mmCIF file of all heavy atoms in Angstrom:
data_model
loop_
_atom_site.group_PDB
_atom_site.id
_atom_site.type_symbol
_atom_site.label_atom_id
_atom_site.label_comp_id
_atom_site.label_asym_id
_atom_site.label_seq_id
_atom_site.Cartn_x
_atom_site.Cartn_y
_atom_site.Cartn_z
ATOM 1 N N GLY C 1 -28.046 26.807 16.704
ATOM 2 C CA GLY C 1 -26.662 26.391 16.850
ATOM 3 C C GLY C 1 -26.463 24.975 16.349
ATOM 4 O O GLY C 1 -27.367 24.368 15.787
ATOM 5 N N ILE C 2 -25.276 24.470 16.600
ATOM 6 C CA ILE C 2 -24.912 23.105 16.211
ATOM 7 C C ILE C 2 -24.398 22.396 17.463
ATOM 8 O O ILE C 2 -23.571 22.934 18.203
ATOM 9 C CB ILE C 2 -23.816 23.109 15.121
ATOM 10 C CG1 ILE C 2 -24.259 23.917 13.891
ATOM 11 C CG2 ILE C 2 -23.414 21.697 14.737
ATOM 12 C CD1 ILE C 2 -25.407 23.329 13.111
ATOM 13 N N SER C 3 -24.897 21.180 17.684
ATOM 14 C CA SER C 3 -24.469 20.423 18.859
ATOM 15 C C SER C 3 -23.033 19.935 18.698
ATOM 16 O O SER C 3 -22.449 20.028 17.613
ATOM 17 C CB SER C 3 -25.393 19.217 19.079
ATOM 18 O OG SER C 3 -25.101 18.201 18.137
ATOM 19 N N GLU C 4 -22.480 19.366 19.778
ATOM 20 C CA GLU C 4 -21.111 18.814 19.738
ATOM 21 C C GLU C 4 -20.993 17.692 18.712
ATOM 22 O O GLU C 4 -19.907 17.434 18.196
ATOM 23 C CB GLU C 4 -20.724 18.304 21.127
ATOM 24 C CG GLU C 4 -20.589 19.399 22.160
ATOM 25 C CD GLU C 4 -20.351 18.847 23.558
ATOM 26 O OE1 GLU C 4 -20.252 17.610 23.721
ATOM 27 O OE2 GLU C 4 -20.259 19.658 24.493
ATOM 28 N N LYS C 5 -22.118 17.031 18.411
ATOM 29 C CA LYS C 5 -22.108 15.932 17.438
ATOM 30 C C LYS C 5 -22.363 16.420 16.014
ATOM 31 O O LYS C 5 -22.474 15.623 15.094
ATOM 32 C CB LYS C 5 -23.160 14.893 17.824
ATOM 33 C CG LYS C 5 -22.853 14.200 19.132
ATOM 34 C CD LYS C 5 -23.887 13.150 19.434
ATOM 35 C CE LYS C 5 -23.551 12.451 20.743
ATOM 36 N NZ LYS C 5 -24.491 11.385 21.047
ATOM 37 N N GLY C 6 -22.478 17.729 15.844
ATOM 38 C CA GLY C 6 -22.679 18.288 14.511
ATOM 39 C C GLY C 6 -24.132 18.320 14.063
ATOM 40 O O GLY C 6 -24.407 18.510 12.885
ATOM 41 N N VAL C 7 -25.055 18.142 14.994
ATOM 42 C CA VAL C 7 -26.473 18.123 14.671
ATOM 43 C C VAL C 7 -27.060 19.517 14.933
ATOM 44 O O VAL C 7 -26.788 20.122 15.976
ATOM 45 C CB VAL C 7 -27.206 17.070 15.545
ATOM 46 C CG1 VAL C 7 -28.696 17.069 15.278
ATOM 47 C CG2 VAL C 7 -26.610 15.692 15.306
ATOM 48 N N PRO C 8 -27.870 20.031 14.005
ATOM 49 C CA PRO C 8 -28.490 21.339 14.237
ATOM 50 C C PRO C 8 -29.371 21.328 15.494
ATOM 51 O O PRO C 8 -30.074 20.355 15.761
ATOM 52 C CB PRO C 8 -29.351 21.568 12.989
ATOM 53 C CG PRO C 8 -28.776 20.658 11.959
ATOM 54 C CD PRO C 8 -28.228 19.481 12.699
ATOM 55 N N ILE C 9 -29.315 22.399 16.242
ATOM 56 C CA ILE C 9 -30.173 22.575 17.412
ATOM 57 C C ILE C 9 -31.341 23.437 16.963
ATOM 58 O O ILE C 9 -31.148 24.575 16.520
ATOM 59 C CB ILE C 9 -29.409 23.247 18.573
ATOM 60 C CG1 ILE C 9 -28.215 22.388 18.981
ATOM 61 C CG2 ILE C 9 -30.337 23.512 19.750
ATOM 62 C CD1 ILE C 9 -27.239 23.084 19.914
ATOM 63 N N LEU C 10 -32.537 22.885 17.040
ATOM 64 C CA LEU C 10 -33.725 23.589 16.578
ATOM 65 C C LEU C 10 -34.560 24.039 17.768
ATOM 66 O O LEU C 10 -34.761 23.300 18.719
ATOM 67 C CB LEU C 10 -34.563 22.686 15.674
ATOM 68 C CG LEU C 10 -33.856 22.147 14.429
ATOM 69 C CD1 LEU C 10 -34.801 21.263 13.637
ATOM 70 C CD2 LEU C 10 -33.326 23.276 13.564
ATOM 71 N N GLU C 11 -35.058 25.256 17.652
ATOM 72 C CA GLU C 11 -35.922 25.823 18.676
ATOM 73 C C GLU C 11 -37.239 26.204 18.002
ATOM 74 O O GLU C 11 -37.240 26.903 16.979
ATOM 75 C CB GLU C 11 -35.263 27.051 19.297
ATOM 76 C CG GLU C 11 -36.029 27.624 20.464
ATOM 77 C CD GLU C 11 -35.250 28.745 21.121
ATOM 78 O OE1 GLU C 11 -34.112 28.499 21.569
ATOM 79 O OE2 GLU C 11 -35.785 29.870 21.162
ATOM 80 N N GLU C 12 -38.356 25.722 18.563
ATOM 81 C CA GLU C 12 -39.649 26.033 17.971
ATOM 82 C C GLU C 12 -39.890 27.545 18.025
ATOM 83 O O GLU C 12 -39.630 28.200 19.035
ATOM 84 C CB GLU C 12 -40.764 25.289 18.699
ATOM 85 C CG GLU C 12 -42.062 25.300 17.949
ATOM 86 C CD GLU C 12 -43.104 24.343 18.502
ATOM 87 O OE1 GLU C 12 -42.761 23.454 19.309
ATOM 88 O OE2 GLU C 12 -44.268 24.506 18.111
ATOM 89 N N ASN C 13 -40.361 28.077 16.898
ATOM 90 C CA ASN C 13 -40.624 29.503 16.777
ATOM 91 C C ASN C 13 -41.733 29.661 15.738
ATOM 92 O O ASN C 13 -41.570 29.227 14.595
ATOM 93 C CB ASN C 13 -39.357 30.235 16.327
ATOM 94 C CG ASN C 13 -39.577 31.712 16.079
ATOM 95 O OD1 ASN C 13 -40.696 32.190 15.964
ATOM 96 N ND2 ASN C 13 -38.486 32.437 15.978
ATOM 97 N N LYS C 14 -42.860 30.263 16.106
ATOM 98 C CA LYS C 14 -44.001 30.356 15.188
ATOM 99 C C LYS C 14 -43.663 31.108 13.899
ATOM 100 O O LYS C 14 -44.374 30.978 12.908
ATOM 101 C CB LYS C 14 -45.210 30.976 15.881
ATOM 102 C CG LYS C 14 -45.064 32.422 16.227
ATOM 103 C CD LYS C 14 -46.319 32.955 16.881
ATOM 104 C CE LYS C 14 -46.168 34.445 17.140
ATOM 105 N NZ LYS C 14 -47.400 35.030 17.597
ATOM 106 N N ASN C 15 -42.578 31.867 13.885
ATOM 107 C CA ASN C 15 -42.145 32.568 12.678
ATOM 108 C C ASN C 15 -40.847 31.998 12.104
ATOM 109 O O ASN C 15 -40.225 32.620 11.246
ATOM 110 C CB ASN C 15 -41.958 34.060 12.982
ATOM 111 C CG ASN C 15 -43.257 34.711 13.408
ATOM 112 O OD1 ASN C 15 -44.283 34.534 12.771
ATOM 113 N ND2 ASN C 15 -43.223 35.438 14.506
ATOM 114 N N GLY C 16 -40.438 30.826 12.586
ATOM 115 C CA GLY C 16 -39.179 30.229 12.160
ATOM 116 C C GLY C 16 -39.122 29.929 10.675
ATOM 117 O O GLY C 16 -40.150 29.791 10.003
ATOM 118 N N LYS C 17 -37.914 29.819 10.168
ATOM 119 C CA LYS C 17 -37.703 29.585 8.737
ATOM 120 C C LYS C 17 -37.677 28.106 8.367
ATOM 121 O O LYS C 17 -37.700 27.753 7.194
ATOM 122 C CB LYS C 17 -36.398 30.253 8.300
ATOM 123 C CG LYS C 17 -36.462 31.757 8.413
ATOM 124 C CD LYS C 17 -35.156 32.383 7.981
ATOM 125 C CE LYS C 17 -35.238 33.890 8.147
ATOM 126 N NZ LYS C 17 -33.973 34.536 7.800
ATOM 127 N N ILE C 18 -37.596 27.237 9.346
ATOM 128 C CA ILE C 18 -37.584 25.793 9.095
ATOM 129 C C ILE C 18 -38.978 25.262 9.385
ATOM 130 O O ILE C 18 -39.494 25.415 10.493
ATOM 131 C CB ILE C 18 -36.531 25.096 9.974
ATOM 132 C CG1 ILE C 18 -35.144 25.659 9.671
ATOM 133 C CG2 ILE C 18 -36.574 23.583 9.773
ATOM 134 C CD1 ILE C 18 -34.081 25.256 10.662
ATOM 135 N N TRP C 19 -39.565 24.647 8.389
ATOM 136 C CA TRP C 19 -40.932 24.141 8.510
ATOM 137 C C TRP C 19 -40.896 22.619 8.614
ATOM 138 O O TRP C 19 -40.181 21.955 7.866
ATOM 139 C CB TRP C 19 -41.742 24.526 7.286
ATOM 140 C CG TRP C 19 -41.996 25.991 7.131
ATOM 141 C CD1 TRP C 19 -41.060 26.979 7.069
ATOM 142 C CD2 TRP C 19 -43.254 26.621 7.004
ATOM 143 N NE1 TRP C 19 -41.662 28.197 6.914
ATOM 144 C CE2 TRP C 19 -43.026 28.007 6.869
ATOM 145 C CE3 TRP C 19 -44.556 26.156 6.988
ATOM 146 C CZ2 TRP C 19 -44.049 28.922 6.723
ATOM 147 C CZ3 TRP C 19 -45.578 27.080 6.834
ATOM 148 C CH2 TRP C 19 -45.326 28.431 6.709
ATOM 149 N N GLN C 20 -41.697 22.080 9.530
ATOM 150 C CA GLN C 20 -41.811 20.632 9.680
ATOM 151 C C GLN C 20 -43.285 20.254 9.582
ATOM 152 O O GLN C 20 -44.122 20.764 10.329
ATOM 153 C CB GLN C 20 -41.272 20.198 11.041
ATOM 154 C CG GLN C 20 -41.457 18.710 11.318
ATOM 155 C CD GLN C 20 -40.865 18.324 12.641
ATOM 156 O OE1 GLN C 20 -39.686 18.549 12.879
ATOM 157 N NE2 GLN C 20 -41.674 17.750 13.517
ATOM 158 N N ALA C 21 -43.600 19.373 8.655
ATOM 159 C CA ALA C 21 -44.980 18.897 8.517
ATOM 160 C C ALA C 21 -45.328 18.020 9.719
ATOM 161 O O ALA C 21 -44.570 17.129 10.070
ATOM 162 C CB ALA C 21 -45.136 18.117 7.223
ATOM 163 N N GLU C 22 -46.465 18.282 10.317
ATOM 164 C CA GLU C 22 -46.909 17.531 11.494
ATOM 165 C C GLU C 22 -48.070 16.593 11.196
ATOM 166 O O GLU C 22 -48.240 15.595 11.869
ATOM 167 C CB GLU C 22 -47.322 18.507 12.608
ATOM 168 C CG GLU C 22 -46.155 19.258 13.202
ATOM 169 C CD GLU C 22 -45.243 18.367 14.009
ATOM 170 O OE1 GLU C 22 -45.732 17.661 14.901
ATOM 171 O OE2 GLU C 22 -44.034 18.368 13.733
ATOM 172 N N ASP C 23 -48.882 16.942 10.222
ATOM 173 C CA ASP C 23 -50.018 16.093 9.879
ATOM 174 C C ASP C 23 -50.367 16.342 8.419
ATOM 175 O O ASP C 23 -50.010 17.386 7.853
ATOM 176 C CB ASP C 23 -51.218 16.385 10.775
ATOM 177 C CG ASP C 23 -52.216 15.229 10.830
ATOM 178 O OD1 ASP C 23 -51.926 14.153 10.244
ATOM 179 O OD2 ASP C 23 -53.279 15.387 11.444
ATOM 180 N N ALA C 24 -51.055 15.388 7.826
ATOM 181 C CA ALA C 24 -51.398 15.494 6.414
ATOM 182 C C ALA C 24 -52.706 14.773 6.138
ATOM 183 O O ALA C 24 -53.192 13.996 6.961
ATOM 184 C CB ALA C 24 -50.277 14.905 5.564
ATOM 185 N N ASN C 25 -53.255 15.028 4.960
ATOM 186 C CA ASN C 25 -54.514 14.441 4.546
ATOM 187 C C ASN C 25 -54.224 13.292 3.577
ATOM 188 O O ASN C 25 -53.837 13.520 2.434
ATOM 189 C CB ASN C 25 -55.379 15.509 3.886
ATOM 190 C CG ASN C 25 -56.755 15.014 3.529
ATOM 191 O OD1 ASN C 25 -56.931 13.883 3.106
ATOM 192 N ND2 ASN C 25 -57.743 15.883 3.668
ATOM 193 N N GLN C 26 -54.416 12.069 4.043
ATOM 194 C CA GLN C 26 -54.105 10.894 3.233
ATOM 195 C C GLN C 26 -54.992 10.794 1.996
ATOM 196 O O GLN C 26 -54.556 10.310 0.950
ATOM 197 C CB GLN C 26 -54.218 9.623 4.075
ATOM 198 C CG GLN C 26 -53.644 8.418 3.382
ATOM 199 C CD GLN C 26 -53.558 7.223 4.290
ATOM 200 O OE1 GLN C 26 -54.480 6.966 5.049
ATOM 201 N NE2 GLN C 26 -52.459 6.509 4.223
ATOM 202 N N LYS C 27 -56.210 11.278 2.082
ATOM 203 C CA LYS C 27 -57.099 11.234 0.912
ATOM 204 C C LYS C 27 -56.537 12.080 -0.222
ATOM 205 O O LYS C 27 -56.605 11.698 -1.387
ATOM 206 C CB LYS C 27 -58.502 11.716 1.289
ATOM 207 C CG LYS C 27 -59.273 10.717 2.123
ATOM 208 C CD LYS C 27 -60.654 11.233 2.453
ATOM 209 C CE LYS C 27 -61.374 10.232 3.331
ATOM 210 N NZ LYS C 27 -62.705 10.714 3.715
ATOM 211 N N ILE C 28 -55.966 13.235 0.114
ATOM 212 C CA ILE C 28 -55.362 14.089 -0.919
ATOM 213 C C ILE C 28 -54.154 13.389 -1.524
ATOM 214 O O ILE C 28 -53.968 13.396 -2.744
ATOM 215 C CB ILE C 28 -54.990 15.464 -0.332
ATOM 216 C CG1 ILE C 28 -56.263 16.259 -0.032
ATOM 217 C CG2 ILE C 28 -54.073 16.240 -1.280
ATOM 218 C CD1 ILE C 28 -56.035 17.561 0.686
ATOM 219 N N ALA C 29 -53.329 12.764 -0.701
ATOM 220 C CA ALA C 29 -52.159 12.045 -1.214
ATOM 221 C C ALA C 29 -52.580 10.927 -2.157
ATOM 222 O O ALA C 29 -52.000 10.759 -3.233
ATOM 223 C CB ALA C 29 -51.340 11.482 -0.057
ATOM 224 N N THR C 30 -53.579 10.166 -1.753
ATOM 225 C CA THR C 30 -54.047 9.053 -2.571
ATOM 226 C C THR C 30 -54.625 9.552 -3.890
ATOM 227 O O THR C 30 -54.300 9.033 -4.965
ATOM 228 C CB THR C 30 -55.089 8.229 -1.805
ATOM 229 O OG1 THR C 30 -54.480 7.736 -0.604
ATOM 230 C CG2 THR C 30 -55.604 7.060 -2.622
ATOM 231 N N TYR C 31 -55.465 10.576 -3.816
ATOM 232 C CA TYR C 31 -56.057 11.145 -5.024
ATOM 233 C C TYR C 31 -54.963 11.614 -5.992
ATOM 234 O O TYR C 31 -54.992 11.305 -7.181
ATOM 235 C CB TYR C 31 -56.986 12.321 -4.674
ATOM 236 C CG TYR C 31 -57.362 13.121 -5.886
ATOM 237 C CD1 TYR C 31 -58.394 12.700 -6.729
ATOM 238 C CD2 TYR C 31 -56.658 14.277 -6.225
ATOM 239 C CE1 TYR C 31 -58.719 13.424 -7.871
ATOM 240 C CE2 TYR C 31 -56.977 15.000 -7.368
ATOM 241 C CZ TYR C 31 -58.007 14.570 -8.183
ATOM 242 O OH TYR C 31 -58.304 15.282 -9.313
ATOM 243 N N GLU C 32 -53.995 12.366 -5.474
ATOM 244 C CA GLU C 32 -52.955 12.937 -6.340
ATOM 245 C C GLU C 32 -52.071 11.850 -6.946
ATOM 246 O O GLU C 32 -51.713 11.904 -8.121
ATOM 247 C CB GLU C 32 -52.119 13.960 -5.578
ATOM 248 C CG GLU C 32 -51.088 14.670 -6.426
ATOM 249 C CD GLU C 32 -51.669 15.524 -7.549
ATOM 250 O OE1 GLU C 32 -52.905 15.639 -7.701
ATOM 251 O OE2 GLU C 32 -50.860 16.080 -8.308
ATOM 252 N N PHE C 33 -51.701 10.857 -6.158
ATOM 253 C CA PHE C 33 -50.889 9.755 -6.670
ATOM 254 C C PHE C 33 -51.580 9.099 -7.867
ATOM 255 O O PHE C 33 -50.988 8.932 -8.933
ATOM 256 C CB PHE C 33 -50.633 8.725 -5.570
ATOM 257 C CG PHE C 33 -49.791 7.573 -6.022
ATOM 258 C CD1 PHE C 33 -48.419 7.612 -5.885
ATOM 259 C CD2 PHE C 33 -50.367 6.449 -6.600
ATOM 260 C CE1 PHE C 33 -47.628 6.551 -6.311
ATOM 261 C CE2 PHE C 33 -49.595 5.386 -7.025
ATOM 262 C CZ PHE C 33 -48.225 5.436 -6.881
#
């Protein structure tokens, strides 16, 4: 849904369509850069 302030309300769901990165490998980022 959408809050009264117009912000999306997100509910965690292991099959959800919205993905949020939680952790990353800095060595891979540095290497690729």
Side-chain angles (χ1 to χ4, degrees):
I2 303 293
S3 75
E4 293 174 2
K5 295 182 179 183
V7 177
I9 300 168
L10 302 180
E11 186 174 302
E12 194 168 345
N13 176 345
K14 68 179 184 172
N15 298 312
K17 295 180 182 177
I18 300 168
W19 293 57
Q20 175 178 304
E22 291 291 307
D23 201 5
N25 185 322
Q26 192 171 42
K27 287 181 182 178
I28 290 174
T30 301
Y31 167 82
E32 184 63 2
F33 181 91

